[in-house]
Amino acid sequence: MSRPAVVGWCAAALLVGVIVGRATESGSSRTVTVSETVERSVVVGAQHIGAGRDPRDAGPLDVARVSSARRGALLETTIVTRQPWRDSLLRRGVSLSLLYDVDVDGHADRRDIVSLFNGKLMSWISSLGQGVQRADVTRRSPTTITVSRDASLFFNRPGQGGQLLTSAINVAVVAKWKGGVDRVPNRGWITVPPPPAEDAAPSAATTLSAPKTTTAACVRGSRAKSLAALGRDLAAIRAAAKLPTKDHLRGNAAINRATDRFLRDVALGPVGNKARNRWIDHAMSALAGVCEQCFQALEANRPVVNIKYPDAGCGG
């Protein structure tokens, strides 16, 4: 074969190689695209609806299962561990919290922190413009607790009210201790659908009427007695706040007793939500800088969510 012919064959072979290489590269790109598509569908398919389980972990608080459900405005999350545990564990270097992804974008928006206050489990969350809000925690067994959170505080911005009963909420539970973390689910979130239609609140066209109030009870002086009791409770809080206090997180025994009585009386007394909110203001001002947890408990009991609705108070 002549030299020009050899050169021609080499050039042709090189050109074919370049074309094949580009075709192979293009094919690889398509393969990657398909791979990404499969991966995304797997993530969506692995989403936990209403509940999630976790394999066994080493640690003082091994969470085995978490389930969450919506009942009207209430979001109830039940946490089950493999081994029994005492409430006091939360004072010995172990933390337990619930994460909420309210806009379902895969990122935590709020954190509920379960803690032990005055010998009772409670959960605290910081709400936009409303200070710290409390949630009830129920001990159902040595391995099981339920956190009942008013989900309306997740949708307290203007125009968000309608989302309370129509939007899903993502939930995850995290236990932490020195050198370890246990998250349920390990990846992703437990998606809690909106509450059933039968649990929905009255429509916008429904007129809310005030709960029935026993007028005779107000006339007989029940409200006056309640206000007198609150006055005594407030005086006791102010006196207790002046006593020596070494622990400014928990306060002293007198502060705790006076705050407990005040919280009971302000919650049960026949006073309106506006008046109740004002009484709590006075108590908080007396405890500022003296008992941080008492301050948070008072802030959490503000009737912020309900203050715009009719209440059964005898005026005020």
Side-chain angles (χ1 to χ4, degrees):
M1 184 180 294
S2 65
R3 186 171 180 177
V6 171
V7 172
W9 276 105
C10 290
L14 181 61
L15 180 60
V16 170
V18 170
I19 293 172
V20 171
R22 288 181 178 175
T24 304
E25 182 180 351
S26 176
S28 292
S29 176
R30 290 192 187 97
T31 303
V32 171
T33 301
V34 171
S35 174
E36 286 182 354
T37 302
V38 171
E39 182 182 355
R40 287 174 186 167
S41 66
V42 169
V43 170
V44 172
Q47 187 70 268
H48 306 277
I49 305 298
R53 294 182 179 275
D54 189 54
R56 184 177 296 276
D57 293 302
L61 197 59
D62 182 10
V63 182
R65 184 177 185 275
V66 174
S67 60
S68 195
R70 306 270 295 278
R71 294 175 176 83
L74 202 62
L75 174 63
E76 293 186 344
T77 302
T78 299
I79 304 169
V80 182
T81 60
R82 284 191 171 78
Q83 302 295 332
W85 60 284
R86 295 179 180 274
D87 299 349
S88 58
L89 186 67
L90 300 181
R91 285 183 175 170
R92 301 202 302 266
V94 178
S95 67
L96 181 63
S97 58
L98 293 80
L99 305 180
Y100 302 110
D101 172 19
V102 180
D103 51 12
V104 196
D105 64 351
H107 301 283
D109 300 305
R110 304 288 184 86
R111 179 187 296 269
D112 232 331
I113 301 175
V114 181
S115 61
L116 188 61
F117 179 67
N118 283 348
K120 182 180 179 182
L121 285 176
M122 295 183 182
S123 195
W124 311 89
I125 196 171
S126 179
S127 177
L128 296 176
Q130 295 182 4
V132 179
Q133 299 291 311
R134 189 189 77 183
D136 293 328
V137 179
T138 304
R139 166 70 75 177
R140 301 194 177 280
S141 76
T143 60
T144 306
I145 64 171
T146 296
V147 179
S148 301
R149 165 61 61 193
D150 182 354
S152 61
L153 66 86
F154 296 148
F155 306 99
N156 57 8
R157 288 179 172 174
Q160 288 186 330
Q163 299 179 30
L164 173 63
L165 300 173
T166 59
S167 299
I169 298 175
N170 282 343
V171 178
V173 171
V174 179
K176 289 185 178 180
W177 57 89
K178 187 176 181 180
V181 178
D182 187 17
R183 187 183 191 275
V184 181
N186 280 333
R187 298 180 63 185
W189 299 83
I190 295 170
T191 298
V192 189
E198 58 267 23
D199 290 344
S203 65
T206 302
T207 302
L208 292 175
S209 59
K212 294 182 179 180
T213 303
T214 304
T215 306
C218 299
V219 173
R220 286 198 301 268
S222 293
R223 183 170 185 268
K225 291 180 180 179
S226 177
L227 294 178
L230 288 172
R232 291 192 296 271
D233 295 340
L234 185 58
I237 287 176
R238 287 170 173 165
K242 296 178 181 179
L243 298 175
T245 305
K246 295 181 180 180
D247 187 349
H248 293 284
L249 175 65
R250 300 184 180 90
N252 56 46
I255 288 176
N256 291 332
R257 287 193 299 269
T259 303
D260 285 344
R261 284 195 300 269
F262 177 84
L263 286 172
R264 178 199 63 198
D265 291 341
V266 81
L268 300 178
V271 295
N273 282 329
K274 291 183 180 179
R276 184 174 289 111
N277 192 65
R278 189 59 180 153
W279 277 102
I280 292 174
D281 281 342
H282 290 306
M284 289 174 63
S285 66
L287 292 174
V290 180
C291 178
E292 182 179 339
Q293 289 189 341
C294 301
F295 188 92
Q296 292 177 348
L298 290 164
E299 178 68 28
N301 277 273
R302 285 182 182 276
V304 176
V305 176
N306 298 324
I307 202 167
K308 62 183 178 181
Y309 299 115
D311 62 343
C314 301

